[in-house]
């Protein structure tokens, strides 16, 4: 059972995490939700379309202007508090690698800390333990925050992913993070080239077999773009295909831009797998 905030999710229940970037330079929406009102409208829309988790980020993942911890907190803390007030049942996640920001957003009502940079600040897990919130443990190949991979090599990329993510998850639980609130993430594109991310996807079942809930962040990423030779705005089909494969292999949480489309994919896969009944079943019965 996965427990985050006020919500509990069954073993075969797919969970959608909607991305809401509080940045002026995000790679996908170019700052569309940097201001409060568009961001709050995005949250309302995402929840209506089926997102159970809202993932709020104050710093773009890629290189760019420096964003201090103080500025990151300014972009996220007040917004977390307002989302908490307006949507008391939604799970609020904050995408940060900094313990100072983690502390501030937990005070404001966050339920989950999404550490996309693989424990580069080990104190972030301590914050999660102190507040009793969840933690995403990600493989980033040892990369420093906001850097791009360059000629990264692995003897076995999935073996490295398992070593790092399971190690981070076990450390988090030892520190006091609730075991049912810890997830592992292969970190597509983070410290990886496209072939690494494709291999991580095809071998995702090995992560699922560890027993830790698996989160995948696939949405419109470079490995999709390079695989299909498509620019950012033309990667939705490739993203949804990768989502379907990940769902079939057992991933549970999906960090996405397109909520409604992802929900249809996940529901279809769940029904094929026998975990969900069809919404309507009239054919051949009337």
């Amino acid at each position: 059972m996965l427990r985050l905030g006020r919500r509990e999710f069954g073993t075969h229940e797919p969970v959608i995490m909607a991305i809401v970037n509080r940045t002026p330079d995000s790679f996908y929406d170019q700052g569309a939700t940097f201001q409060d009102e568009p961001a709050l409208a995005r949250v309302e829309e995402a929840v209506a379309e089926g997102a159970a988790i809202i993932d709020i980020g104050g710093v773009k993942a890629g290189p760019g202007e420096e964003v201090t911890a103080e500025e990151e907190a300014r972009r996220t803390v007040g917004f977390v508090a307002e989302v908490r007030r307006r949507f008391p049942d939604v799970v609020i996640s904050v995408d940060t690698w900094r313990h100072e920001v983690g502390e501030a957003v937990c005070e404001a009502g966050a339920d989950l800390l999404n550490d996309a940079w693989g424990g580069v600040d080990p104190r972030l897990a301590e914050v999660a333990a102190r507040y009793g919130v969840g933690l995403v443990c990600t493989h980033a190949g040892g990369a420093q925050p906001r850097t791009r991979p360059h000629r990264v090599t692995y003897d076995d990329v999935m073996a490295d992913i398992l070593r790092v993510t399971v190690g981070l998850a076990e450390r988090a639980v030892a520190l006091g993070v609730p075991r049912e609130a810890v997830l592992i993430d292969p970190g597509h594109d983070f410290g990886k080239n496209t072939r690494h991310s494709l291999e991580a996807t095809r071998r995702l079942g090995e992560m699922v077999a560890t027993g830790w809930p698996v989160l995948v962040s696939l949405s419109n990423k470079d490995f999709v773009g390079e695989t299909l030779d498509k620019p950012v705005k033309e990667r939705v089909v490739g993203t949804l295909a990768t989502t379907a494969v990940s769902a079939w292999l057992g991933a549970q949480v999906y960090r996405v831009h397109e909520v409604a489309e992802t929900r249809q994919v996940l529901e279809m896969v769940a029904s094929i797998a026998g975990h969900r009944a069809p919404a309507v079943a009239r054919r051949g019965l009337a």
Side-chain angles (χ1 to χ4, degrees), residues 152-154 157 161 191-201:
V152 179
T153 61
Y154 299 95
V157 67
I161 289 170
K192 300 170 189 68
N193 61 33
T194 290
R195 288 183 175 84
H196 293 144
S197 293
L198 291 171
E199 182 172 351
T201 305

Side-chain angles (χ1 to χ4, degrees), residues 14 261-273 276-277 279:
E261 294 87 342
T262 301
R263 182 177 178 179
Q264 287 189 46
V265 169
L266 295 177
E267 288 182 348
M268 193 70 202
V269 173
S271 295
I272 293 169
R276 172 187 177 273

Side-chain angles (χ1 to χ4, degrees), residues 165-173 178-184 207-215 250 252:
T165 58
V166 171
L168 290 170
E170 290 175 346
R171 175 180 182 267
V173 172
R179 186 179 185 88
E180 64 274 15
V182 175
L183 304 99
I184 60 175
M207 294 189 75
V208 174
T210 67
W212 298 99
V214 174
L215 179 151
Q252 184 166 17

Side-chain angles (χ1 to χ4, degrees), residues 67-227:
V67 180
T68 64
E70 292 75 17
E71 173 61 16
E72 184 184 356
R74 189 191 69 78
R75 295 176 179 183
T76 55
V77 175
F79 187 71
V80 167
E82 184 61 16
V83 173
R84 179 83 294 149
R85 186 184 71 81
R86 296 194 188 194
F87 304 91
D89 294 326
V90 76
V91 178
I92 299 176
S93 168
V94 176
D95 181 352
T96 186
W97 74 88
R98 292 166 164 150
H99 76 274
E100 307 97 321
V101 176
E103 184 111 29
V105 297
C106 286
E107 284 285 347
D111 304 300
L112 177 65
L113 297 176
N114 181 10
D115 180 9
W117 290 103
V120 68
D121 181 349
R123 295 175 66 184
L124 188 64
E126 297 171 13
V127 171
R130 189 158 62 251
Y131 284 88
V133 303
L135 183 69
V136 179
C137 300
T138 308
H139 180 273
Q144 289 300 302
R146 307 194 67 193
T147 61
R148 298 197 189 281
H150 179 69
R151 300 190 182 280
V152 179
T153 61
Y154 299 95
D155 291 334
D156 183 327
V157 67
M158 182 50 74
D160 204 70
I161 289 170
L162 293 172
R163 177 184 63 81
V164 170
T165 58
V166 171
L168 290 170
E170 290 175 346
R171 175 180 182 267
V173 172
L175 287 169
V177 180
R179 186 179 185 88
E180 64 274 15
V182 175
L183 304 99
I184 60 175
D185 176 353
H188 289 81
D189 275 358
F190 282 62
K192 300 170 189 68
N193 61 33
T194 290
R195 288 183 175 84
H196 293 144
S197 293
L198 291 171
E199 182 172 351
T201 305
R202 111 177 126 254
R203 296 176 61 185
L204 204 63
E206 295 176 45
M207 294 189 75
V208 174
T210 67
W212 298 99
V214 174
L215 179 151
V216 288
S217 182
L218 312 167
S219 197
N220 302 295
K221 283 194 167 179
D222 284 349
F223 83 96
V224 175
E226 287 195 355
T227 299

